[in-house]
Amino acid sequence: MKKIRTRAGKLAPALLLACVGTAQAGDFQVGRGIHDITGPAAEVGMLGYADLDQITSGIHTRLHARAFIIAENDNVSQRVVMVSADLGMLTQSVKQGVVARLKQKYGELYQDANVMLSPTHTHSGPGGLSHYALTNLTSLGYIEQNYHAVVDGIVAAIDQAHQELSPGEIRINQGELYNVSVNRSDEAYQANPAAEKSRYDDNVEHTMTLLKFTKNNQDYAQWNWFPVHPVSMSSNNTLISADNKGYASYLFERDMGLDYISKQGFVAAFAQANAGDVSPNLNLDGTGPGNTELESTQIIGQRQYDKAKELYLSASQSLGGDISYRHTFVDFSKLSVAQEYSGESASTTCDAALGYAFAAGTEDGKGPGWFFEGENSANPLFTMVTSLIAVAPDSLRECHAEKEILLATGLVDPVPWTPDVLPLQLLKIGRLAVVALPSEITTMAGRRLMATVKAELADEVDHVVLSGLANTYAGYVATREEYAAQHYEGGHTIFGPHTLAGYQQEFTKLARAIRQNTQVDAGPALRELADQQLTFQTGVVLDNTPLFTSFGDVHQQVNSSYQKGQTAFVSFWTGHPKNDLKIQGTYLEVQRKVAGSWQKVADDNDWETFYRWKRIDPVWGSSRAEISWSIPADAPSGEYRIKHYGAYKNGWTGNIHTFTGKSKTFTVN
């Protein structure tokens, strides 16, 4: 008997009513945009691994926001926005900032209800984006420069998509992708009912769902959902990287001729789905399938790109129908959950709390060794320390059932360390439903949630996807059985054992509102916390070079010649990257002389280049930029040079000055 497969995505809030249109296949207007969102490339804690030692020190690949607008052809005000951003998390503060900026520009055309922001979940980008304390801990507080780089970049990508909106066609395709993912919490997964597990052929989802966008029968863009964590780059990496999903986008966009600087060309988004317990590290010890993390990133990214390109080229089913959306805010700290969903009477969610299993880490990313998955005994020392932050009363411990509470983030005074009012959003684009979920959801939990939405919209849609970690970040969602096992994912399900049931209940309401063409309540207002942010990082005081040198001078020169496959290296005296983020620019160029003039062949967004920033003397303020170029096997023979673009801060005036440096020429044979 054929196994039944369902697909997961992610949920996010729903608020407005949407008109039921009469759009037919191909009767959409579409627009796409892309913009650089790379934040400070030095001395900012990264977001994802919660490792205080993982501090940015350069760039391997840049981070981008990819925006898509889809409107009904006969009613263009009826539209949705989808953004996939190369971020570890899409914080509530970023969504608030983006929507506020869009309202300034476009009035009520774009708002919480029809704008979905989702991250790819790379763990190799700078942090400090949240207005809630927990996710800012490793960045030593709020990083305003990074926040504005991200908000400005997302808005710019949406602006471009808005300007490009015009008639186009959307086709949908699906296919199975294997050998890129494993379930890192199989023991917890196996706790699910045997009858339920028997309906699926694996403990991870293998379905990629792809949307192909064309205009006038010309290639225009693609967006796909596929569940896998972008953790091919480990916590040892300190170079900004879009990880495996970013590499897949890079391969597709480079193949289709996108110019990242001018933003002209094909845009390819590789969005996240129900990847809560899904790892790309096939050896389940933080390694594989490659011999190095760079090689593993390439392999996993290449396999996603290959499947996406296959689905893109074979896509034939038009995505006809109307556009609808619903959005609401729900307080998940005290949500009553009906027995229909929880299986238990008088069920509620709980004030947010992290369990000891959370501190244990995952199978492919272990914690400090003081905590262990599956163990529910408290350590009196740690309980005493975390009680200084927030005391977890017996009633809260009872609410969280099997979870032994380590830190009650929802009870920190005066502001919780994690958001409690969450956005839930459901988009219907033709025969496709997109569940925008503000959490990381496990494979089976995602299957249940998608099935819930599909059952309610059975006559409206053929496909349901989950768009993960969308619009804010609220930890994990495990099934009730996985929660009881208290592995990492259960320990990080912050609202207690009935979190998934709460999501199923509330998304049923959104789906029913779409089906019945009724409105939903907006829900409670969000906190405004922008003016309450703290940072414990100092800015750039000044930059200097050693005596008798200038900014842009070469410290270590290139060799006179290299063979293909070797690495060219040069270092320059430079200023701090925080002086100029080089948004829609670059800190380096590899140039080749062609017919007497220098032409760019690579910059700091290319896979084969590495820009590293190194502090030399923190008192004097000197630093170096170390630039490497791994020469591709297909690089044309000829004459090359490497240029560095930097900026320094004058310690007397505080002014920022730009400069360039260039290496000697060298030959590639």
Side-chain angles (χ1 to χ4, degrees):
M1 185 166 82
K2 183 175 174 152
K3 304 285 187 182
I4 300 171
R5 302 192 57 81
T6 51
R7 305 162 229 325
K10 295 275 177 166
L11 323 166
L15 151 64
L16 280 188
L17 108 137
C19 301
V20 177
T22 57
Q24 301 301 311
D27 282 348
F28 292 112
Q29 294 204 12
V30 298
R32 49 110 215 256
I34 185 170
H35 200 84
D36 190 353
I37 56 171
T38 309
E43 297 188 324
V44 170
M46 287 181 158
L47 180 61
Y49 285 114
D51 187 338
L52 287 169
D53 294 326
Q54 193 191 17
I55 300 170
T56 57
S57 66
I59 295 174
H60 182 210
T61 62
R62 285 191 167 261
L63 309 179
H64 292 90
R66 296 170 173 87
F68 293 69
I69 299 178
I70 305 170
E72 290 183 0
N73 208 26
D74 296 331
N75 181 15
V76 293
S77 64
Q78 189 66 15
R79 60 180 65 188
V80 294
V81 179
M82 300 193 305
V83 175
S84 178
D86 294 324
L87 296 171
M89 299 170 188
L90 201 296
T91 61
Q92 198 166 89
S93 57
V94 168
K95 178 70 181 285
Q96 288 174 295
V98 168
V99 170
R101 290 275 303 280
L102 292 175
K103 286 186 176 181
Q104 290 174 355
K105 287 173 173 278
Y106 304 108
E108 296 301 311
L109 186 60
Y110 302 115
Q111 48 194 291
D112 279 312
N114 64 345
V115 175
M116 182 193 79
L117 308 182
S118 64
T120 60
H121 200 35
T122 176
H123 286 42
S124 293
L129 295 171
S130 182
H131 287 166
Y132 287 90
L134 184 69
T135 52
N136 285 350
L137 291 178
T138 56
S139 58
L140 302 181
Y142 173 68
I143 307 298
E144 184 175 19
Q145 186 182 39
N146 192 35
Y147 176 82
H148 287 296
V150 169
V151 170
D152 293 350
I154 292 175
V155 171
I158 295 173
D159 283 341
Q160 182 186 2
H162 177 89
Q163 296 301 322
E164 292 193 11
L165 195 67
S166 62
E169 184 172 3
I170 307 172
R171 293 180 181 143
I172 188 168
N173 203 3
Q174 292 180 315
E176 305 299 294
L177 174 56
Y178 292 86
N179 203 26
V180 298
S181 57
V182 292
N183 193 308
R184 68 188 186 191
S185 286
D186 181 64
E187 185 176 341
Y189 177 90
Q190 295 304 330
N192 290 305
E196 182 180 36
K197 290 183 293 182
S198 70
R199 300 203 300 267
Y200 305 97
D201 60 10
D202 204 353
N203 59 4
V204 296
E205 283 293 310
H206 294 287
T207 300
M208 176 182 284
T209 300
L210 179 139
L211 299 181
K212 175 179 181 175
F213 298 82
T214 57
K215 289 188 177 183
N216 300 317
N217 293 319
Q218 299 296 310
D219 295 321
Y220 187 65
Q222 76 86 35
W223 173 298
N224 71 71
W225 290 270
F226 182 78
V228 65
H229 257 81
V231 292
S232 297
M233 300 298 294
S234 74
S235 61
N236 296 321
N237 171 60
T238 58
L239 298 183
I240 291 174
S241 168
D243 211 286
N244 57 62
K245 284 191 175 289
Y247 184 62
S249 288
Y250 171 77
L251 289 176
F252 211 142
E253 289 164 348
R254 187 181 63 174
D255 180 51
M256 302 294 277
L258 173 66
D259 184 320
Y260 287 94
I261 302 299
S262 69
K263 308 201 304 178
Q264 297 304 305
F266 191 93
V267 175
F270 284 73
Q272 196 52 269
N274 54 324
D277 51 3
V278 184
S279 174
N281 299 311
L282 304 186
N283 297 334
L284 271 184
D285 60 358
T287 67
N291 294 320
T292 67
E293 58 188 42
L294 282 173
E295 186 179 339
S296 294
T297 303
Q298 281 188 289
I299 293 171
I300 298 299
Q302 179 80 47
R303 290 173 182 170
Q304 290 180 78
Y305 159 73
D306 289 341
K307 175 55 66 173
K309 191 66 177 293
E310 172 195 321
L311 295 175
Y312 182 86
L313 293 175
S314 62
S316 60
Q317 180 186 355
S318 290
L319 189 67
D322 65 313
I323 292 175
S324 299
Y325 47 84
R326 296 294 186 278
H327 176 287
T328 189
F329 290 107
V330 177
D331 187 344
F332 259 74
S333 69
K334 48 177 172 289
L335 176 65
S336 295
V337 183
Q339 186 173 0
E340 173 186 357
Y341 300 97
S342 70
E344 303 175 21
S345 60
S347 300
T348 64
T349 56
C350 319
D351 285 303
L354 295 166
Y356 274 77
F358 157 80
T362 65
E363 278 75 358
D364 62 340
K366 292 295 186 184
W370 306 325
F371 310 96
F372 302 95
E373 291 185 300
E375 292 190 6
N376 296 333
S377 58
N379 182 305
L381 175 61
F382 288 110
T383 299
M384 179 186 70
V385 171
T386 58
S387 293
L388 298 176
I389 302 171
V391 176
D394 290 342
S395 59
L396 184 65
R397 296 184 182 279
E398 181 179 343
C399 185
H400 279 267
E402 294 88 355
K403 179 193 294 176
E404 186 62 54
I405 293 176
L406 176 64
L407 176 61
T409 60
L411 297 183
V412 180
D413 189 61
V415 178
W417 275 17
T418 49
D420 45 14
V421 176
L422 305 184
L424 307 186
Q425 184 180 37
L426 183 62
L427 312 178
K428 190 181 87 70
I429 306 167
R431 302 292 296 180
L432 170 72
V434 181
V435 182
L437 175 77
S439 300
E440 302 183 61
I441 190 167
T442 66
T443 298
M444 190 63 85
R447 287 167 172 166
R448 291 184 190 177
L449 183 56
M450 287 187 292
T452 298
V453 173
K454 182 67 179 294
E456 191 64 36
L457 292 176
D459 296 331
E460 304 280 332
V461 301
D462 301 315
H463 309 282
V464 178
V465 294
L466 286 176
S467 206
L469 306 95
N471 299 317
T472 192
Y473 184 76
Y476 275 67
V477 183
T479 68
R480 181 65 184 90
E481 296 82 0
E482 291 166 348
Y483 182 92
Q486 278 300 294
H487 281 236
Y488 173 82
E489 294 78 13
H492 202 173
T493 298
I494 61 176
F495 295 110
H498 301 303
T499 301
L500 172 59
Y503 277 128
Q504 289 177 286
Q505 171 180 283
E506 299 306 303
F507 273 100
T508 296
K509 296 176 183 178
L510 300 184
R512 187 168 299 153
I514 286 179
R515 179 172 57 82
Q516 297 178 348
N517 193 27
T518 57
Q519 298 187 29
V520 295
D521 185 74
L526 297 178
R527 295 182 181 87
E528 294 290 344
L529 300 172
D531 60 352
Q532 301 180 37
Q533 299 309 302
L534 299 174
T535 181
F536 300 95
Q537 275 209 348
T538 57
V540 179
V541 178
L542 80 167
D543 293 293
N544 267 321
T545 61
L547 296 176
F548 312 115
T549 63
S550 300
F551 290 102
D553 284 357
V554 173
H555 168 257
Q556 181 175 334
Q557 194 57 263
V558 294
N559 297 339
S560 59
S561 66
Y562 295 92
Q563 299 293 319
K564 297 172 186 180
Q566 293 183 322
T567 298
F569 176 87
V570 60
S571 63
F572 301 88
W573 292 108
T574 193
H576 203 293
K578 288 182 181 178
N579 295 326
D580 185 348
L581 301 183
K582 302 296 181 185
I583 298 290
Q584 288 299 131
T586 181
Y587 289 106
L588 69 91
E589 281 188 0
V590 179
Q591 299 177 334
R592 176 174 171 248
K593 184 175 279 189
V594 179
S597 63
W598 291 101
Q599 297 183 1
K600 183 180 76 170
V601 298
D603 59 27
D604 66 12
N605 184 54
D606 284 295
W607 182 261
E608 64 267 20
T609 62
F610 298 83
Y611 161 70
R612 294 179 172 87
W613 181 86
K614 181 175 292 185
R615 171 69 74 192
I616 303 303
D617 188 332
V619 177
W620 182 247
S622 59
S623 60
R624 287 200 294 262
E626 299 181 346
I627 297 173
S628 304
W629 178 45
S630 298
I631 303 171
D634 60 353
S637 299
E639 191 174 359
Y640 289 80
R641 71 180 185 186
I642 296 175
K643 289 193 72 174
H644 169 48
Y645 300 91
Y648 70 90
K649 183 174 185 178
N650 185 302
W652 295 102
T653 66
N655 293 332
I656 305 295
H657 304 273
T658 60
F659 64 88
T660 60
K662 59 179 180 289
S663 72
K664 291 181 179 179
T665 60
F666 58 92
T667 58
V668 172
N669 301 310

